[in-house]
Each structure stands twice: as structure tokens, then as C-alpha cells.
Amino acid sequence: MNAEQSYLKLLETLSQRKKAGDSFELAGLAMGGAWIAERLATDLNQPHFGVINVAFHRDDYAEKGMTALRTASTMPTQLPFEVNGANVILIDDVLLTGRTVRAALNELFDFGRPAQVELMVLADRENRELPISADFVGEQLSIPDNQILVLEKNGAGKFSFQLEERAE
């Protein structure tokens, strides 16, 4: 579980696409995906990146209540590019059930209709509840269901994963 190595693999993939003349916009899911999108934008010399907050589109919004509102206010959706007709690379740290990605797509389409949306994740845990798969995967991981994978970023901006017990 080397998040930094996974990041470098994804960076190389996008670097090759950029060299080939592909045009794309980066949009990271708040929080971890936004960290990745920000660093990718810097490393690829992209002029900007977007942040997508899924709080209001989550299917468990009623359960999250005020927690969802706080999340939405600390890192609201910001898309500094024209969504209509854009090729968007949606970025998340960990793909598990697909429910967060579904919420992110709903939020993205509230801002317009992109020409294409591709999904990029640092880690794919391969335990879907919805028919969603990533186009770009840093690492495939098999982790017990009672654990969650948390992305952390140090002061130098380097990524690491931590395993935590799932709260019941």
C-alpha cells in the first residue's frame, strides 16, 4: 500500500496523455481526491483543478445530517472550467462501493454536461455495490471489510495510506 508510488504511476499516465496532445480537466472529490487533483495540476502545469463535494448527493445524506453540511461548507464544489463539452478526469483516493462516485457524477452534472468523464483512483478495493469501475488505478488492494483505507498528506505534500478500524 504505497500511496506515493501509486500517485507517481497515475502522474506518468497523465503526462503521456498530455504529451500526446490530449486535453482534459481535473476534478477531485473532497478531500483526498482534491489533494490528488491539486498535486497533479501542479506537476502537469495545468492552470487549475476542480473540487467536487458530494455531501448533498449522498444516498446517506439523511443519516449524515450536520456532518454533511459541515463538509460541504469547508470544501464546497468549485469548478474553474466550463463543464459543458469538457473531458473531465474525476479523481478519488479510494474506490470501494461506487456510491461516492455516483454522488460525484450527480454533482458534476449539476454544473453542465461534459463530453467525457473518466475515473482515476489511487486505490481500488474491488467491493462494488454499483456498476462503476475506474479508468486509471494506482493500485488494486484487498483489505478486510472491517478496515478502511485513509489517505494522508504530509507537510511536503507526499501521500501515504493508513489502515483504520471501521466504526460500527
Side-chain angles (χ1 to χ4, degrees):
M1 289 187 324
N2 187 328
E4 190 60 28
Q5 187 176 6
S6 295
Y7 171 79
L8 294 173
K9 176 182 173 184
L10 296 175
L11 173 62
E12 179 59 27
T13 299
L14 290 184
S15 293
Q16 294 301 320
R17 285 188 58 172
K18 195 167 180 177
K19 286 178 188 171
D22 284 357
S23 172
F24 51 83
E25 300 289 352
L26 303 172
L29 279 66
M31 297 285 292
W35 291 345
I36 299 163
E38 178 179 27
R39 187 163 160 205
L40 283 169
T42 299
D43 291 346
L44 294 168
N45 295 316
Q46 295 275 96
H48 51 250
F49 67 96
V51 174
I52 295 180
N53 188 303
V54 301
F56 297 119
H57 287 285
R58 291 189 58 92
D59 55 14
D60 58 357
Y61 177 78
E63 297 168 25
K64 298 287 185 189
M66 290 306 293
T67 303
L69 288 174
R70 278 193 298 278
T71 303
S73 65
T74 58
M75 190 175 271
T77 296
Q78 298 176 357
L79 298 171
F81 53 85
E82 176 60 43
V83 172
N84 286 318
N87 293 321
V88 178
I89 298 179
L90 191 63
I91 303 165
D92 202 3
D93 51 359
V94 179
L95 177 58
L96 181 60
T97 64
R99 292 168 56 202
T100 303
V101 173
R102 183 213 45 87
L105 289 168
N106 286 347
E107 178 74 3
L108 179 64
F109 275 77
D110 283 351
F111 287 81
R113 185 173 179 184
Q116 179 181 27
V117 179
E118 295 174 283
L119 179 61
M120 172 178 276
V121 297
L122 276 187
D124 183 344
R125 289 192 53 184
E126 303 179 319
N127 189 17
R128 297 300 173 275
E129 294 175 7
L130 298 174
I132 291 175
S133 63
D135 300 286
F136 310 100
V137 176
E139 189 173 2
Q140 302 273 350
L141 298 173
S142 182
I143 296 168
D145 288 342
N146 66 331
Q147 295 182 322
I148 59 173
L149 192 59
V150 178
L151 181 67
E152 294 186 353
K153 180 176 78 164
N154 68 18
K158 303 291 183 188
F159 299 124
S160 64
F161 282 126
Q162 300 300 320
L163 278 178
E164 295 180 3
E165 295 299 312
R166 183 183 304 269
E168 292 298 323

